[in-house]
Amino acid sequence: MKKDLLSAWSRRRFLQAGGGLMAASALHFGYSKSALAQAIGKALPQFTALRPAQKGVLTAAYWGAFEAIIEQGRMVGVQPVKDDPAPNALIEMAPWQVYAPNRIKTPMVRKSWLENGPGSHTELRGRDAWVPVSWDKAIDLVSDEIRRLQQTYGPSSIYAGSYGWKSTGMLHNCRALLHRLMNLAGGFLSYSGDYSTGAAQVIMSHVVGSMEVYEQQTSWPNVIEHSELVILWGCNPHTTLKNSWNVPDHVGLDGFAQLANKGTRVISIDPVYQPGAKELSAQWIAPHAYTDSALILGIAHTLLSENLHDEAFLQRYTVGFDRFRASLLGESDGVVKSADWASAVCGVEAEVIRQLAREMARKRTMIMAGWGIQRQHHGEQPHWLLVTLAAMLGQIGLPGGGFGFSYHYSSGGSPTARGGIISGISAGSAPANAPAPIPVARIADCLANPGKTINFNGRQVTYPDVKMVYVAGGNPFHHHQDTNNLLQAWRRPDTIVVQEPYWTATAKHADIVLPCTTSYERNDLEMGGDYSQLYVFPMHQCVAPQHQARNDFDIFRALAARLGVEQAFTEGKDEMLWLKSMYDNMKSQARGAGSALPPFDMFWQSNSYIRFPIPEANKQWVRFADFRAAPLLNPLGTPSGKIEIFSQRIAGMNYPDCPGLPGWLPPLEWHGGEAAKRWPLSLNTAHPALRLHSQLDNTPLREKHAVANREEILINERDAARRGIQSGDLVRAFNDRGQILVGAVVTADIRPGVVRISEGAWYDPADPAQPGALCRNGNVNCLTVDIGTSMLAQGNCGHMAQLEIEKYQGEPPPNHAHAAPPGVV
Ligand SMILES: Nc1nc2c(c(=O)[nH]1)N[C@H]1C(S)=C(S)[C@@H](COP(=O)(O)OP(=O)(O)OC[C@H]3O[C@@H](n4cnc5c(=O)[nH]c(N)nc54)[C@H](O)[C@@H]3O)O[C@H]1N2
Ligand SMILES: Nc1nc2c(c(=O)[nH]1)N[C@H]1C(S)=C(S)[C@@H](COP(=O)(O)OP(=O)(O)OC[C@H]3O[C@@H](n4cnc5c(=O)[nH]c(N)nc54)[C@H](O)[C@@H]3O)O[C@H]1N2
Ligand SMILES: [Mo]
């Protein structure tokens, strides 16, 4: 999916390096002062890129690289690596991840499925009894089912897209391994896009010719030096930079700290006044939820009417501004998109909008936008309009100016180092008869409606009849919108296999669960810094596999053996041989780039990580500077080679919900729409500070944010007072789609009319037999809408829903979200 920022070049190189690797000698873990260890110690200083560990076993996670402190075979603590400029409390949960009481301890099969075969009593998923089985038996059941479905229905009957944030590691990448197995075993139905940037990545490809959201940003030193005004637009870096897709380098957090030190002016445009915005002394502008497009239009109209826009830039570098001007002036629809008009829609005072426009034009302005604003109905519009606004300001490609859509994510703007890149294990290629992928967030629609055809970015996609869902490394009962709708759709397939370390709600709703190791129970390698490619971290195994858990690699290898494709799956390599081949390939790239690295065995034994040097030029890199300098030589990847304020290609698709010109399209639910009459509050489902989605909800970190033993809800004082709600109260949040229990935090730091419940609380229905039952832990997706952003991108709309709240009366029910299913130890 996304975020695998490796170049096609390194991928190809990796594939070529496949065969002919020598067998590694015994690579036992341990740091006794053997003769070998001493020899290694002597040899190390010549390798200047190496950084030795201080006192623990080096490993890494999405939350940072750290040393695990091991005592008598148990992980008892952690210590961040020395280079981390902003270590993260999440790493301290590593021991709890390993020893969590709700680990799945043995392979399990749902009773009805085991007794009566695939497809039986699927309505009992989530409440049937569980039967433990041996690994041998489990592997037989799963491989027989794959074979049956391939033979009877073909590859389109197996949905193994398996979206999710799994764990770091280039070898034990469960999704890639699942795809690798399924490709070898006849093919499968996959997905395109992701839940993160479903709308933005599609619209940006049309507007600036690249996904943009996963591109390197103007480098941090350049921003710190040149930006005079930083706009955080629906952007909460203080929270979202804690974690990244590779191991975080946390350079972005350091960058924001430097902005604060320098006193750079920051404005945060967000219905919530974030703690991070406060640390930056940011001015808070709080629009109504889901109305950013109108706000941007109001700013654009002010620029135009006060002649503050850069006509020369627009002429030279964009197409379609004339049409946009006409739309601002209301020539097409009779609606002038003035600051006053915008104010009526978005609730920000017209004068504030005008001041914002003037200040942006006066200063060197960097617009840093997050992605919550595009996880909404018509979510294509805000980013398209922000690019348009930046084009009107004319600072795109200048130091410290323009826009950046990834400063809040994985440290976009962290200068790129020069070294080598680890290529992960390949998913292989799909057989010719494999079906076309579905847009990732249409999965419930697909399960429920085989044969239905939808529009998608100029194409049509017809849903196949899915008989099997295989999940490894994702949690759809947290990540997918409208959980109760998913619950119904989830009953359609014959067989659901979930490979997981924990009894998540998704695992509880499976037919077969296969317990897998956490990343701390196996050996792996990972890059540090998604954009910087600054580090290579060894992920040493810290402890033995717990209970009967197996590595994903070994589970898939066993399935491959039963399906007759083991040799192709493993290529004859075990864990350490795979790591050695990945390392060797990276090492030869690094040599070409001027960094000498030790042989693999020595690297592995030395318990060190690698930090590559950063070329001076990269510290001042400016996004779009090349395009600005020579637009004909360096055209964008759009049809015109320029920024497309108007897109003929999109216009040609004739989608009523995404025309060729960006604008304000009211969402399905919002404060000004029909739904608001019954459901007056607008939902904000931002990413949680002390979790990664649903991950770590089952650790003691939860005690720091849970209220009344439920997920917290932020409520404005006015809305709370009206309903007699106080901080600490148990609250029922509900709409037509579902109801959840949450714990109140009453605050002035959220706009009236908006409530926030973060994504990621585990789903815990009070009555699993009843779709629509109260979720006792506060899974916010019980309340969200499962529609696509538009026919263009079909992204998810997790950030848009109207609802009501009330103080919960009566005895607080128990919360079983983090317990194993009844009867299971
Ligand atoms: N309403 C709303 N919904 C949203 C969002 C929102 O903003 N609002 N955000 C969306 C976004 S951006 C995203 S990316 C998704 C995230 O959705 P997910 O990626 O599905 O969420 P995670 O909680 O990270 O789930 C990862 C699962 O993988 C398991 N796992 C970890 N390591 C391993 C491993 O090594 N092997 C195996 N087999 N399993 C492993 C974890 O235990 C966990 O259950 O949620 C989306 N959902
Ligand atoms: N700690 C932590 N870090 C993470 C993650 C995590 O779960 N936890 N997840 C990672 C992943 S997969 C992703 S995709 C990114 C997510 O990165 P984002 O998608 O940018 O994060 P969100 O929290 O969904 O939204 C960012 C901000 O948008 C605001 N917002 C929401 N709706 C509106 C609106 O209508 N108007 C305006 N102006 N603002 C709005 C929210 O209040 C929030 O402050 O974060 C990554 N980093
Ligand atoms: Mo995401």
Side-chain angles (χ1 to χ4, degrees):
M1 66 178 187
K2 61 173 178 183
K3 299 148 189 173
D4 293 308
L5 298 164
L6 300 171
S7 65
W9 173 81
S10 64
R11 251 179 243 286
R12 273 198 303 279
R13 287 267 307 251
F14 168 69
L15 290 175
Q16 285 161 8
L21 286 153
M22 52 175 239
S25 51
L27 288 157
H28 291 300
F29 194 65
Y31 305 109
S32 63
K33 281 286 163 217
S34 62
L36 175 65
Q38 280 174 26
I40 288 173
K42 275 205 188 111
L44 285 181
Q46 63 175 296
F47 301 110
T48 52
L50 284 194
R51 329 278 270 201
Q54 307 293 302
K55 63 175 187 189
V57 178
L58 267 178
T59 187
Y62 289 129
W63 12 100
F66 60 90
E67 301 177 24
I69 313 300
I70 311 294
E71 282 172 12
Q72 288 158 358
R74 275 184 80 83
M75 197 197 291
V76 296
V78 301
Q79 152 178 318
V81 295
K82 262 175 80 180
D83 277 300
D84 192 336
N88 188 345
L90 278 70
I91 61 172
E92 290 160 23
M93 291 302 112
W96 274 273
Q97 288 183 271
V98 174
Y99 306 117
N102 67 343
R103 288 286 300 257
I104 301 169
K105 300 189 175 64
T106 175
M108 291 265 183
V109 184
R110 188 169 68 81
K111 189 160 177 284
S112 309
W113 195 100
L114 188 64
E115 288 174 356
N116 307 313
S120 61
H121 289 291
T122 58
E123 78 286 356
L124 293 181
R125 286 186 184 131
R127 59 193 169 105
D128 212 344
W130 288 99
V131 183
V133 298
S134 68
W135 267 111
D136 241 20
K137 173 85 177 172
I139 296 294
D140 272 343
L141 292 174
V142 177
S143 56
D144 285 353
E145 182 62 350
I146 294 172
R147 197 180 297 109
R148 175 183 81 92
L149 295 174
Q150 286 288 1
Q151 282 169 1
T152 323
Y153 306 103
S156 66
S157 65
I158 301 179
Y159 181 71
S162 191
Y163 180 82
W165 268 66
K166 56 188 188 61
S167 288
T168 39
M170 288 291 189
L171 170 60
H172 296 283
N173 172 344
C174 51
R175 185 170 35 84
L177 293 169
L178 171 62
H179 291 181
R180 186 178 174 90
L181 171 77
M182 289 294 180
N183 276 329
L184 292 169
F188 65 101
L189 176 63
S190 192
Y191 63 77
S192 69
D194 57 45
Y195 279 77
S196 313
T197 62
Q201 63 175 255
V202 175
I203 190 67
M204 282 300 109
S205 314
H206 292 288
V207 174
V208 291
S210 78
M211 286 210 264
E212 200 51 38
V213 285
Y214 303 129
E215 297 291 340
Q216 179 60 296
Q217 311 287 289
T218 294
S219 68
W220 264 109
N222 185 277
V223 168
I224 292 159
E225 189 177 337
H226 298 283
S227 301
E228 296 167 312
L229 171 62
V230 168
I231 311 270
L232 295 178
W233 203 305
C235 187
N236 186 14
H238 187 72
T239 285
T240 55
L241 286 176
K242 286 180 192 286
N243 305 310
S244 72
W245 181 246
N246 295 165
V247 180
D249 61 25
H250 288 148
V251 166
L253 285 172
D254 194 46
F256 282 105
Q258 291 194 49
L259 284 187
N261 282 344
K262 193 180 168 193
T264 301
R265 172 144 160 84
V266 179
I267 298 175
S268 172
I269 302 178
D270 199 307
V272 181
Y273 196 13
Q274 311 288 352
K278 288 185 188 171
E279 275 180 29
L280 292 162
S281 308
Q283 177 188 344
W284 180 34
I285 295 179
H288 273 301
Y290 338 137
T291 62
D292 297 83
S293 298
L295 175 54
I296 302 165
L297 288 168
I299 298 171
H301 183 273
T302 307
L303 292 177
L304 183 68
S305 61
E306 301 188 6
N307 204 20
L308 296 171
H309 63 299
D310 187 336
E311 215 32 270
F313 184 92
L314 290 163
Q315 282 303 325
R316 186 148 190 236
Y317 300 102
T318 73
V319 294
F321 184 69
D322 286 349
R323 290 179 197 242
F324 187 69
R325 182 201 320 258
S327 126
L328 286 177
L329 298 175
E331 287 168 17
S332 38
D333 59 359
V335 180
V336 180
K337 315 296 181 308
S338 65
D340 293 290
W341 166 84
S343 175
V345 177
C346 73
V348 177
E349 281 171 44
E351 193 47 32
V352 173
I353 298 175
R354 283 189 283 266
Q355 291 296 350
L356 195 53
R358 290 170 198 144
E359 187 174 355
M360 289 171 97
R362 199 167 60 239
K363 291 183 173 156
R364 184 56 58 89
T365 300
M366 178 60 87
I367 303 171
M368 299 182 175
W371 303 334
I373 50 172
Q374 54 86 61
R375 235 173 270 122
Q376 300 176 0
H377 196 207
H378 305 135
E380 293 82 3
Q381 306 302 314
H383 282 79
W384 195 356
L385 283 166
L386 285 175
V387 173
T388 305
L389 174 62
M392 289 177 77
L393 293 170
Q395 300 179 11
I396 295 169
L398 291 181
F403 64 89
F405 296 160
S406 206
Y407 281 105
H408 69 295
Y409 176 77
S410 297
S411 287
S414 175
T416 305
R418 192 170 141 81
I421 295 170
I422 302 269
S423 299
I425 193 162
S426 150
S429 42
N433 64 337
I438 58 164
V440 66
R442 300 320 302 137
I443 179 60
D445 199 32
C446 167
L447 294 179
N449 301 294
K452 179 177 167 182
T453 297
I454 60 164
N455 287 299
F456 177 38
N457 199 14
R459 288 174 282 135
Q460 296 209 310
V461 176
T462 300
Y463 299 144
D465 193 354
V466 172
K467 304 281 184 192
M468 178 190 226
V469 174
Y470 200 127
V471 177
N475 189 0
F477 274 77
H478 125 65
H479 71 225
H480 192 69
Q481 287 59 56
D482 196 347
T483 309
N484 289 303
N485 181 57
L486 174 69
L487 203 58
Q488 306 273 16
W490 200 252
R491 291 179 176 174
R492 302 275 314 215
D494 288 352
T495 299
I496 292 175
V497 181
V498 174
Q499 207 157 293
E500 251 292 340
Y502 310 107
W503 278 111
T504 61
T506 303
K508 288 174 182 172
H509 286 83
D511 298 313
I512 302 175
V513 290
L514 304 176
C516 67
T517 53
T518 67
S519 58
Y520 314 121
E521 295 153 57
R522 59 203 186 204
N523 294 298
D524 216 324
L525 284 167
E526 185 58 273
M527 297 298 295
D530 293 45
Y531 297 91
S532 64
Q533 298 165 353
L534 185 55
Y535 301 104
V536 176
F537 290 110
M539 294 170 62
H540 290 292
Q541 182 178 341
C542 307
V543 294
Q546 302 295 297
H547 316 288
Q548 286 192 46
R550 289 191 180 174
N551 297 341
D552 295 289
F553 183 90
D554 297 313
I555 299 171
F556 292 126
R557 175 174 48 193
L559 289 171
R562 293 285 211 284
L563 294 166
V565 292
E566 182 178 10
Q567 175 59 29
F569 183 83
T570 63
E571 295 177 26
K573 289 181 269 186
D574 64 6
E575 181 183 67
M576 291 316 287
L577 278 175
W578 273 103
L579 297 183
K580 180 179 184 318
S581 69
M582 290 177 185
Y583 179 90
D584 287 348
N585 184 42
M586 176 277 298
K587 176 170 169 269
S588 68
Q589 292 174 35
R591 193 189 318 114
S595 277
L597 297 176
F600 177 71
D601 295 18
M602 191 185 283
F603 166 73
W604 198 258
Q605 286 287 335
S606 74
N607 198 30
S608 304
Y609 59 96
I610 296 162
R611 183 186 161 114
F612 291 118
I614 303 168
E616 279 310 306
N618 290 1
K619 297 180 185 166
Q620 288 297 332
W621 189 81
V622 173
R623 178 142 196 83
F624 294 117
D626 55 346
F627 168 62
R628 188 176 183 113
L632 292 178
L633 277 179
N634 306 308
L636 302 181
T638 54
S640 62
K642 298 183 177 186
I643 296 169
E644 302 221 341
I645 295 173
F646 173 79
S647 165
Q648 186 60 56
R649 193 156 47 179
I650 294 177
M653 295 176 195
N654 278 315
Y655 296 155
D657 52 6
C658 191
L661 197 66
W664 160 246
L665 301 169
L668 178 70
E669 298 190 4
W670 67 300
H671 79 94
E674 211 28 54
K677 292 180 185 154
R678 280 182 70 203
W679 311 111
L681 300 172
S682 301
L683 181 61
N684 175 299
T685 67
H687 287 232
L690 297 180
R691 273 197 307 258
L692 176 69
H693 314 297
S694 73
Q695 297 189 59
L696 308 184
D697 201 42
N698 58 334
T699 68
L701 213 48
R702 182 170 174 276
E703 287 155 25
K704 294 199 178 171
H705 56 86
V707 175
N709 191 25
R710 325 286 151 164
E711 186 65 17
E712 64 184 329
I713 179 173
L714 302 191
I715 312 169
N716 179 272
E717 298 160 336
R718 208 187 69 187
D719 297 320
R722 235 176 241 173
R723 294 166 177 83
I725 294 170
Q726 293 179 343
S727 282
D729 281 351
L730 205 53
V731 166
R732 190 174 78 101
F734 58 102
N735 58 21
D736 279 336
R737 290 174 290 270
Q739 45 171 333
I740 66 177
L741 273 190
V742 281
V745 175
V746 177
T747 170
D749 289 340
I750 187 163
R751 191 197 157 89
V754 182
V755 292
R756 168 182 286 179
I757 306 167
S758 284
E759 54 112 86
W762 294 20
Y763 172 61
D764 180 39
D767 178 359
Q770 268 310 315
L774 181 70
C775 170
R776 299 174 295 193
N777 189 45
N779 162 35
V780 76
N781 274 319
C782 288
L783 306 173
T784 55
V785 190
D786 185 8
I787 54 165
T789 51
S790 80
M791 294 177 191
L792 187 87
Q794 295 288 3
N796 78 79
C797 299
H799 256 293
M800 176 210 63
Q802 293 294 120
L803 75 157
E804 180 54 288
I805 57 173
E806 66 184 18
K807 189 169 165 169
Y808 185 76
Q809 311 291 351
E811 207 40 35
N815 183 346
H816 291 159
H818 310 109
V824 172
V825 280

